Amino acid sequence: MYATEEEELALTQSVVDYKKKQKQRKLLAHLYAEGTSTLAQLAKVLHNSVPSVTALVEELISQGWVTATGMATGNNGRRPALFSLNTKRQLVAVLDVSTHDTKIILMDSLRNVVFRCDYDLRLEDNPNFLTTLVGHYTSALADSGINPDHVLGIGISMPGLVDARRGLNLTYKNISQSNDSLPSWFSEQLKKPVYLINDTKATVLGESRFGGAQGKKQVLAINIDWGVGLGIVVNGEVFQGTSGFAGELGHIQADPEGELCYCGKIGCLNTLTSALALVRRVQRDIAAGQVSKLAAFRDNVPQIDIDELINAALQGDSYAIDVLQQTGFQLGKGLSVAISLFNPEMIIVDGVLTKAADFILNTLEQAITKYCLSDFRNDLTIELTKLNGTAKWLGAHAYVMERVFASY
């Protein structure tokens, strides 16, 4: 059976439209990554003529995606116009949820923070958690004065075993009253696309797209926070694993005779190296009479936190320095396993303990040298994050934007 002339015309038109959409998606992704471009630069990226690209850009301008931002610099001849994403109409909300607080950050399409508010909302097995989070988001949006129609999507970053395919956090199962997808539930409340990502995967995505790992193919990013997470980049993309759980370095066994981890296992790396574990250990030692500058808190041990520990080390306190150096060694020992498995070209260290980098990094590298084959170490660099605590937000932002572009 042959297609009619009308059917052939419709098929041809649909193919043309599909190819045009593909080019516009690539154009949007390029502007997102680069910030600004001229028509000639975009023509090279798309392997198209300047007139063809001009038509694509004009359509995206009419739809509110792209805007002209001025003229390119240069002294010779007529300066070409620069184009970028429309920062006033394309915003993303990042909900940075952790076990100690929640931050709501509104960012424009070029990743500038236009509004931020911190809330005393902690991730815990609480059936009211999601409704409270919705309330905070609604009030944050109202306080910002931003038109809700200008929010493209919402990215939720949180710790735990996050199954991004099903939209579930299997570590904190009781934050929803049923087994429904968290993004779907949130999206129904706010009528916006919502995307869920594990916090460490958001961190390594931010480093890969905008940080020290730009252009790198094989990268590990260790997030030393209240838990220990490992983000993995393989061939330039974040490695998820079957269920999205890849990188739970904090739950490899580091001490068979060690403490009970909250996961139910004995001696996990988290029990030795997470900020929470360090604070608990120091509080116990000080209460038991440990000689240290931190002994000033002996009558009120709960006041000792990770910042007090690091400050004591910076003031030369031997006990605090020893605790942090031992932590670095244990982290390096755990990382050695990941290095042997993934053979990375770079490791980026991020998280709250980066403030103690002077005490942690040396022993971390010593442990890697001790426990890894030298050939693995030869082509490996270890760096502190250069994103100053924003890698997670940038990664969550990229996670949303890349999916928005894909559905354009």
Side-chain angles (χ1 to χ4, degrees):
M1 186 174 180
Y2 297 99
T4 65
E5 186 175 337
E6 291 80 6
E7 289 172 334
E8 288 182 350
L9 182 61
L11 180 61
T12 301
Q13 187 61 46
S14 65
V15 171
V16 170
D17 289 342
Y18 173 75
K19 289 183 177 180
K20 183 177 77 171
K21 284 290 186 183
Q22 277 189 315
K23 291 175 182 178
Q24 288 179 321
R25 290 185 194 113
K26 190 172 182 180
L27 189 154
L28 291 170
H30 177 79
L31 290 177
Y32 177 64
E34 299 299 326
T36 60
S37 286
T38 64
L39 291 173
Q41 290 167 338
L42 292 171
K44 287 182 180 180
V45 170
L46 297 179
H47 305 292
N48 269 108
S49 67
V50 171
S52 296
V53 171
T54 301
L56 295 175
V57 169
E58 287 176 348
E59 184 173 334
L60 289 171
I61 289 174
S62 69
Q63 295 171 357
W65 283 96
V66 173
T67 186
T69 59
M71 310 301 287
T73 57
N75 298 322
N76 299 323
R78 182 179 177 182
R79 293 186 297 163
L82 284 172
F83 297 89
S84 74
L85 295 180
N86 188 340
T87 57
K88 294 181 180 178
R89 292 188 58 187
Q90 316 296 341
L91 296 134
V92 167
V94 173
L95 278 56
D96 176 13
V97 178
S98 74
T99 55
H100 45 281
D101 67 1
T102 293
K103 300 176 181 65
I104 295 179
I105 306 106
L106 295 170
M107 304 170 72
D108 67 24
S109 53
L110 294 182
R111 303 174 294 283
N112 301 303
V113 175
V114 296
F115 181 83
R116 170 183 167 176
C117 198
D118 297 14
Y119 298 91
D120 185 22
L121 176 64
R122 306 177 183 204
L123 182 60
E124 54 187 356
D125 282 331
N126 178 356
N128 297 319
F129 177 83
L130 284 185
T131 54
T132 305
L133 185 58
V134 167
H136 286 328
Y137 170 79
T138 303
S139 63
L141 198 60
D143 292 342
S144 72
I146 290 170
N147 185 339
D149 292 338
H150 293 168
V151 177
L152 287 174
I154 299 166
I156 303 177
S157 157
M158 59 174 61
L161 294 177
V162 173
D163 186 338
R165 298 171 310 168
R166 294 189 292 158
L168 300 175
N169 189 324
L170 301 186
T171 302
Y172 300 91
K173 297 179 181 179
N174 295 328
I175 59 176
S176 57
Q177 296 179 355
S178 64
N179 206 31
D180 293 336
S181 161
L182 303 183
S184 295
W185 183 90
F186 213 95
S187 184
E188 286 176 8
Q189 307 302 308
L190 299 173
K191 311 305 178 188
K192 292 288 179 183
V194 179
Y195 304 92
L196 177 67
I197 185 172
N198 167 269
D199 58 349
T200 300
K201 290 181 175 59
T203 298
V204 76
L205 181 59
E207 294 287 356
S208 179
R209 296 293 189 265
F210 312 110
Q214 268 187 300
K216 304 293 185 183
K217 294 294 184 181
Q218 321 296 334
V219 178
L220 301 179
I222 184 167
N223 187 24
I224 318 166
D225 207 86
W226 301 102
V228 178
L230 184 72
I232 305 164
V233 170
V234 176
N235 294 327
E237 296 299 328
V238 177
F239 180 65
Q240 297 280 356
T242 300
S243 303
F245 305 155
E248 285 294 328
L249 187 71
H251 292 292
I252 66 168
Q253 189 179 70
D255 182 4
E257 305 299 323
E259 298 180 14
L260 178 69
C261 180
Y262 68 83
C263 73
K265 309 298 182 183
I266 298 293
C268 290
L269 190 63
N270 271 340
T271 66
L272 297 174
T273 60
S274 69
L276 181 61
L278 290 188
V279 168
R280 287 175 175 171
R281 186 183 317 146
V282 170
Q283 288 176 347
R284 287 198 303 266
D285 289 351
I286 295 302
Q290 173 66 49
V291 176
S292 166
K293 288 180 180 292
L294 294 168
F297 294 96
R298 188 159 290 144
D299 292 334
N300 196 357
V301 168
Q303 282 193 355
I304 300 175
D305 58 18
I306 196 65
D307 289 328
E308 294 294 348
L309 172 62
I310 294 171
N311 287 338
L314 291 171
Q315 293 170 27
D317 184 70
S318 296
Y319 166 73
I321 291 171
D322 286 345
V323 168
L324 291 172
Q325 288 182 335
Q326 291 164 14
T327 297
F329 192 84
Q330 290 294 340
L331 283 168
K333 188 175 179 181
L335 270 174
S336 297
V337 176
I339 292 169
S340 298
L341 290 173
F342 293 102
N343 187 205
E345 57 189 306
M346 172 180 281
I347 294 175
I348 295 179
V349 180
D350 201 349
V352 66
L353 286 187
T354 55
K355 291 181 285 187
D358 290 344
F359 308 106
I360 288 176
L361 283 187
N362 283 342
T363 53
L364 184 149
E365 294 195 31
Q366 288 170 13
I368 290 173
T369 300
K370 179 176 181 178
Y371 292 105
C372 277
L373 295 174
S374 59
D375 291 333
F376 282 80
R377 187 68 180 88
N378 290 339
D379 297 320
L380 174 65
T381 59
I382 302 172
E383 296 183 3
L384 280 179
T385 179
K386 297 180 176 68
L387 293 179
N388 194 28
T390 65
K392 182 169 37 172
W393 305 348
L394 293 171
H397 189 278
Y399 193 67
V400 173
M401 292 295 284
E402 289 173 8
R403 278 147 187 79
V404 168
F405 293 153
S407 62
Y408 169 75

